[in-house]
């Protein structure tokens, strides 16, 4: 996992470096109800300011004394607006923002957001009476970040658009693309609301897409002064989110039953990667049930230890003796019963939250086709080799007898996890492809569902070298719209992406899981495998109606890869793994892994090798439940010939005017304006 990246910092003296880093404060709890601003104590007069952009302040000529009554007309104007009382009670402008998350560990910094016109609206609720900083970063660090700083100083709100260069120097942006909507400050909290277009076409701004966005945040107890923002010390951090495709929140009735599949006191070895497997028996139901939501149950303090969880359906022909103990997965001594658990029925990865199925789909339990026994596979990531760890993590499944229209299924697509998945060292970019071939989809769908299946969510999965993943969709030589993508993949943030529109997979379609890697900091080959230092390239497709297809993947041909480095012959029959090279002399008696590492890789060779690998024939993996296989399994197929690649629509830049919300109450605003003018006139006479 490595060192935590820098969070946002604030310069001493304006346009200097924000760079010094301090640890996040630990402990604490959210302030007030729901972590938002606290109400004032009973009997105490609140010290608060509710402000729109400062109308009065802009009307005072330079050098003249401000009217004594200036602030009160502004408050009156705001108070006359529809919903003002509700807004004050809610701690905001009153406009609903559908998504909300806590950014810090102490409950002091809350972010809310939602669509507004062609862009996004944001609300920051922070426990400070000073400035609030927020932004977007390509890495979660301070360099090359897009930042906005706001607050309320001396009764006037402010919002300033900044950016940092590669040296982390803070500069004010000449093009101000963040637009203040609302500001409030009381004795404990500051609330800022603003809008921004998704694509501003400002070279100093970051475009907001459906990929992972690394937001950075900071705050200080003092407002921004003439010299610029003061350094924030440890009040900073970073968090990865999907702003355009977040997890859907589902509020369930407290009466909805659930059951847990949770490990009990698993000892975590002091090694980097451990896969732990434990079998569970699903509760016995007298009628069909649908699982409608799955939540991770992660032991507190182990949020970075538990990297991902897979839930497999196992053979039903067991007795409860298989439940007696867990074991390390993929180990020579693991129980034979584990080998029957091949069908993935749910997947969760680090950073993900609870997953709710769409209203017309559920995971079926209680019928003869449904799982009776399941295997919980937990990937533990322990890069510092910490000793003495004991874990109790797993999944919670909420279920109902209110049956939905369709049963959900899961297809694992991409590159079969294998040493034949090879990535050279020192490559700033290397692309791998895993094929769900037309041959596999043709056979399985023609037999099971000729009218096709409907994909509603996708989980994209890779390891530490992963930088981007795309799930591409082809039909009769034409590339269709991407099923899912993440061009800014974060190993520590992997969750299901809900598709905005369900996509249909038909017999004869192709799917390609395309992964982009960076091995610039590695001196040896990276191999496909289970460790986080190994790599994967997988997509988990949630779809309906359920069919008998669990895996649609491929393995690239290894012999042509070895021919690239000059291998001529291997020892046959193959009796050892990894197999041994026979000739030429320079590789004689080396394993194929040692031979690949011995080859002198440079960028030029890496690019040529990448071009070769993407054109190689692939071995097809096409699996049913209960370890059965479709007849196409093991056959060789060629990558699809794409006659018409998909062309994405060009990005449209937003304008300042489009970021302002439409006025829904023109008559009320006119009345308020007339009242304000009258009060201003009276105030001027009293001065």
């Amino acid at each position: 996992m490595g060192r935590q990246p820098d969070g946002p910092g604030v310069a001493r003296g304006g346009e200097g470096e924000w760079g010094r880093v301090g640890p996040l404060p630990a402990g604490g709890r959210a302030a007030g109800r729901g972590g938002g601003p606290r109400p004032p104590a009973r009997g105490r007069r609140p010290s608060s300011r509710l402000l729109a952009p400062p109308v009065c302040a802009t009307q005072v000529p330079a050098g003249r004394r401000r009217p004594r009554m200036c602030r009160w007309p502004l408050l009156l104007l705001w108070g006359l607006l529809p919903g003002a009382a509700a807004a004050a009670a809610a701690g905001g402008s009153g406009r609903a923002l559908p998504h909300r998350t806590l950014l810090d560990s102490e409950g002091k910094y809350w972010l809310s957001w939602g669509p507004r016109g062609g862009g996004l609206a944001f609300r920051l609720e922070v426990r400070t009476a000073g400035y609030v900083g927020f932004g977007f970063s390509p890495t979660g660090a301070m360099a090359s970040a897009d930042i906005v700083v706001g607050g309320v100083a001396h009764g006037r709100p402010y919002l300033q658009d900044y950016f940092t260069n590669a040296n982390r120097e803070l500069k004010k942006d000449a093009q101000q693309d963040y637009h203040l909507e609302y500001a409030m400050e009381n004795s404990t909290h500051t609330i800022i609301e603003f809008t921004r277009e998704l694509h501003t076409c400002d070279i100093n701004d970051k475009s907001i897409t459906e990929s992972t966005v690394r937001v950075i945040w900071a705050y200080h107890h003092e407002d921004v002064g003439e010299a610029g923002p003061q350094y924030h010390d440890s009040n900073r951090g970073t968090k990865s989110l999907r702003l355009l495709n977040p997890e859907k929140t589902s509020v369930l009735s407290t009466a909805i039953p659930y059951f847990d599949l949770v490990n009990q006191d698993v000892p975590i070895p002091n090694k980097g990667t451990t896969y732990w497997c434990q079998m569970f028996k699903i509760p016995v139901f007298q009628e069909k049930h649908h699982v409608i939501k799955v939540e991770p149950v992660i032991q507190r303090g182990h949020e970075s230890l538990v990297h991902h969880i897979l839930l497999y359906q196992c053979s039903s022909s067991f007795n409860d003796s298989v439940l007696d103990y867990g074991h390390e997965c993929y180990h020579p001594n693991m129980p034979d019963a584990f080998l029957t658990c091949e069908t993935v029925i749910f997947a969760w990865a680090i950073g993900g939250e609870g997953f709710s199925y769409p209203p017309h789909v559920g995971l079926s339990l209680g019928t003869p086709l449904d799982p009776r026994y399941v295997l919980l596979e937990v990937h533990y990531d322990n890069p510092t080799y910490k000793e003495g760890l004991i874990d109790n993590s797993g999944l919670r499944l909420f279920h109902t007898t209110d049956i939905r229209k369709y049963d959900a299924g899961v297809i694992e697509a991409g590159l079969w996890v294998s040493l034949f998945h090879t990535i050279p060292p020192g490559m700033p970019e290397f692309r791998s492809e895993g094929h769900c071939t037309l041959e596999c989809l043709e056979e399985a769908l023609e037999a099971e569902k000729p009218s096709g299946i409907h994909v509603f969510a996708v989980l994209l999965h890779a390891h530490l070298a992963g930088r981007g993943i795309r799930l591409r969709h082809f039909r009769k030589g034409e590339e269709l719209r991407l099923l899912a993508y993440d061009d800014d993949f974060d190993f520590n943030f992997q969750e299901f992406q809900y598709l905005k529109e369900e996509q249909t997979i038909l017999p004869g379609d192709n799917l390609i899981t395309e992964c982009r890697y960076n091995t610039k900091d590695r001196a040896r080959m990276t191999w496909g495998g289970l460790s986080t230092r190994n790599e994967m390239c997988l997509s988990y497709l949630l779809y309906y109606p359920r069919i008998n297809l669990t895996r649609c993947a491929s393995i690239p041909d290894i012999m042509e890869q070895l021919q690239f480095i000059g291998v001529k012959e291997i020892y046959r029959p193959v009796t050892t793994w990894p197999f041994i090279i026979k000739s030429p002399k320079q590789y004689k008696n080396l394993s194929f892994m040692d031979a690949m590492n011995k080859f002198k890789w440079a960028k030029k060779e890496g690019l040529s090798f990448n071009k070769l690998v993407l054109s190689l024939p692939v071995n097809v993996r096409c699996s049913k439940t209960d370890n059965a296989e479709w007849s196409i399994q093991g056959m060789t197929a060629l990558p699809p010939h794409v006659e018409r690649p998909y062309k994405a629509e060009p990005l449209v830049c937003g304008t300042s005017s489009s970021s302002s919300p439409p006025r829904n109450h023109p008559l009320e605003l006119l009345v308020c304006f007339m009242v304000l003018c009258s009060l201003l006139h009276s105030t001027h006479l009293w001065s």
Side-chain angles (χ1 to χ4, degrees):
M1 305 286 278
R3 184 177 61 86
Q4 288 295 321
D6 299 358
V10 183
R12 291 186 178 92
E15 296 186 355
E17 185 186 28
W18 282 29
R20 196 160 60 86
V21 180
L24 280 173
R29 62 178 182 176
R33 190 172 185 178
R38 292 189 308 189
R42 182 173 298 177
R44 176 186 171 190
R45 182 170 180 170
S47 170
S48 64
R49 292 181 288 277
L50 299 166
L51 295 138
V55 178
C56 284
T58 61
Q59 294 178 344
V60 181
R64 286 190 57 183
R65 184 166 56 91
R66 177 182 299 193
R68 289 190 299 270
M69 295 292 291
C70 182
R71 191 178 302 166
W72 296 105
L74 182 60
L75 287 173
L76 179 58
L77 172 62
W78 184 88
L80 289 171
L81 290 174
S93 66
R95 297 189 184 99
L97 296 177
H99 310 297
R100 179 174 166 88
T101 189
L102 180 64
L103 295 187
D104 73 324
S105 61
E106 292 191 317
K108 293 182 178 180
Y109 198 125
W110 286 88
L111 166 68
S112 303
W113 77 97
R116 182 74 55 80
L120 287 177
F122 298 90
R123 178 186 299 130
L124 310 177
E125 304 170 46
V126 187
R127 188 176 176 83
T128 183
Y131 76 74
V132 174
F134 179 78
F136 309 108
S137 164
T139 62
M142 210 34 229
S144 304
D146 174 11
I147 297 164
V148 63
V149 177
V152 179
H154 310 296
R156 297 179 60 180
Y158 61 91
L159 193 75
Q160 298 168 341
D161 186 351
Y162 291 90
F163 68 94
T164 57
N165 59 22
N167 295 322
R168 308 196 302 182
E169 295 172 329
L170 180 68
K171 298 178 182 295
K172 194 169 183 179
D173 200 333
Q175 181 175 317
Q176 294 284 304
D177 292 305
Y178 293 85
H179 304 284
L180 183 65
E181 297 284 312
Y182 171 88
M184 187 280 284
E185 179 184 280
N186 63 20
S187 60
T188 61
H189 284 76
T190 296
I191 298 178
I192 301 289
E193 293 184 16
F194 55 88
T195 59
R196 208 207 83 165
E197 295 298 320
L198 302 180
H199 314 290
T200 65
C201 292
D202 179 351
I203 60 172
N204 299 317
D205 290 347
K206 305 300 176 193
S207 285
I208 300 173
T209 70
E210 293 184 19
S211 296
T212 296
V213 177
R214 293 166 174 85
V215 302
I216 54 178
W217 58 268
Y219 63 91
H220 195 275
H221 65 277
E222 296 287 344
D223 281 296
V224 176
E226 292 183 3
Q230 297 185 57
Y231 182 65
H232 55 74
D233 294 319
S234 62
N235 301 321
R236 62 94 184 106
T238 180
K239 184 170 184 173
S240 288
L241 298 169
R242 281 199 181 85
L243 295 175
L244 299 188
N245 192 1
E247 290 270 15
K248 291 185 180 178
T249 55
S250 176
V251 180
L252 299 179
S253 165
T254 55
I256 295 290
Y258 65 85
F259 59 91
D260 289 343
L261 305 173
V262 175
N263 284 323
Q264 298 296 318
D265 297 329
V266 173
I268 310 303
N270 60 330
K271 61 180 183 178
T273 296
T274 300
Y275 282 78
W276 186 263
C277 286
Q278 172 73 54
M279 288 187 73
F280 294 87
K281 186 176 183 179
I282 296 294
V284 177
F285 298 119
Q286 301 304 315
E287 57 183 327
K288 181 174 179 174
H289 285 232
H290 262 158
V291 173
I292 58 175
K293 184 176 182 179
V294 183
E295 288 183 349
V297 180
I298 308 301
Q299 181 172 323
R300 188 169 184 178
H302 287 188
E303 290 80 8
S304 62
L305 176 69
V306 181
H307 184 263
H308 71 254
I309 301 174
L310 293 178
L311 188 64
Y312 295 89
Q313 179 173 345
C314 305
S315 170
S316 298
S317 58
F318 291 120
N319 58 48
D320 291 357
S321 62
V322 298
L323 309 176
D324 290 345
Y325 61 96
H327 199 282
E328 197 166 334
C329 315
Y330 313 108
H331 189 280
N333 297 329
M334 76 176 188
D336 291 341
F338 290 7
L339 299 174
T340 73
C341 309
E342 285 286 328
T343 303
V344 175
I345 58 175
F346 189 75
W348 172 89
I350 189 169
E353 300 180 3
F355 179 83
S356 298
Y357 288 86
H360 54 299
V361 185
L363 175 63
S364 180
L365 297 177
T367 78
L369 293 176
D370 298 333
R372 289 180 55 201
Y373 295 93
V374 295
L375 181 79
L376 188 78
E377 175 189 294
V378 182
H379 173 190
Y380 294 105
D381 184 37
N382 185 15
T384 59
Y385 299 90
K386 194 170 182 180
E387 297 183 353
L389 294 172
I390 303 294
D391 184 66
N392 295 271
S393 298
L395 298 174
R396 173 167 294 169
L397 283 70
F398 295 85
H399 56 95
T400 178
T401 55
D402 185 9
I403 302 303
R404 298 176 171 186
K405 187 174 182 179
Y406 298 106
D407 294 340
V410 180
I411 296 174
E412 180 184 277
L415 265 170
W416 179 262
V417 180
S418 162
L419 292 175
F420 295 172
H421 177 198
T422 57
I423 307 171
M427 296 299 294
E429 184 168 311
F430 189 90
R431 194 154 51 93
S432 299
E433 291 181 349
H435 295 266
C436 177
T437 64
L438 68 87
E439 293 86 357
C440 178
L441 289 174
E442 183 86 50
E443 181 179 11
L445 287 173
E446 283 289 0
E448 294 275 320
K449 193 68 179 176
S451 60
I453 57 175
H454 307 284
V455 179
F456 60 87
V458 175
L459 173 68
L460 303 171
H461 183 64
H463 284 173
L464 283 169
R467 295 297 182 271
I469 311 177
R470 293 184 165 214
L471 180 55
R472 302 170 68 189
H473 184 195
F474 303 85
R475 180 174 296 155
K476 296 179 180 178
E478 179 179 2
E479 183 171 9
L480 308 180
R481 187 174 62 187
L482 290 170
L483 279 172
Y485 73 94
D486 190 346
D487 291 336
D488 295 297
F489 176 78
D490 184 350
F491 170 75
N492 292 308
F493 178 68
Q494 303 182 48
E495 64 181 5
F496 272 106
Q497 298 182 32
Y498 294 89
L499 274 58
K500 290 185 175 178
E501 296 178 359
E502 295 175 355
Q503 299 297 311
T504 302
I505 310 295
L506 296 175
D509 285 3
N510 286 80
L511 302 177
I512 296 179
T513 303
E514 176 187 283
C515 295
R516 182 167 44 85
Y517 302 101
N518 183 323
T519 59
K520 208 172 176 182
D521 61 344
R522 300 189 180 190
R524 295 173 65 81
M525 293 289 296
T526 298
W527 309 94
L530 301 176
S531 166
T532 55
R533 291 286 296 181
N534 296 141
E535 268 309 327
M536 293 185 179
C537 183
L538 295 170
S539 301
Y540 292 94
L541 287 71
L542 278 175
Y543 71 93
Y544 69 88
R546 178 177 58 179
I547 63 172
N548 194 6
L549 176 65
T550 63
R551 183 174 288 111
C552 185
S554 69
I555 306 174
D557 184 276
I558 187 61
M559 292 311 299
E560 292 202 43
Q561 295 183 59
L562 293 174
Q563 288 172 15
F564 178 87
I565 67 168
V567 171
K568 296 180 178 178
E569 189 179 3
I570 67 172
Y571 285 104
R572 296 183 186 276
V574 174
T575 57
T576 60
W577 183 256
F579 57 77
I580 306 300
I581 307 299
K582 187 174 183 180
S583 68
K585 185 177 180 180
Q586 71 199 73
Y587 298 133
K588 186 176 177 64
N589 294 329
L590 293 180
S591 72
F592 78 86
M593 297 176 71
D594 290 336
M596 293 283 272
N597 275 315
K598 186 176 181 180
F599 182 75
K600 290 185 174 10
W601 292 101
K603 186 176 180 181
K604 180 181 177 181
E605 286 73 22
L607 291 171
S608 298
F609 181 70
N610 202 172
K611 185 176 180 180
L612 168 73
V613 168
L614 294 176
S615 66
L616 291 178
V618 297
N619 186 278
V620 176
R621 317 301 295 178
C622 194
S623 307
K624 300 180 180 180
T625 56
D626 289 335
N627 280 337
E629 299 169 349
W630 291 97
S631 65
I632 194 69
Q633 172 96 352
M635 297 182 68
T636 299
L638 292 172
H641 174 66
V642 183
E643 299 173 3
R644 297 180 298 281
Y646 179 72
K647 293 184 179 179
E649 295 182 5
L651 298 179
V652 178
C653 299
T655 61
S656 297
S657 60
S658 65
S659 63
S660 298
R663 301 300 184 186
N664 296 322
H665 306 284
L667 180 60
E668 290 92 334
L669 287 175
L670 178 60
V671 172
C672 293
F673 180 72
M674 293 172 66
V675 172
L676 176 62
C677 290
S678 174
L679 287 168
L680 284 174
H681 179 69
S682 301
T683 299
H684 180 69
L685 293 177
W686 294 341
S687 300

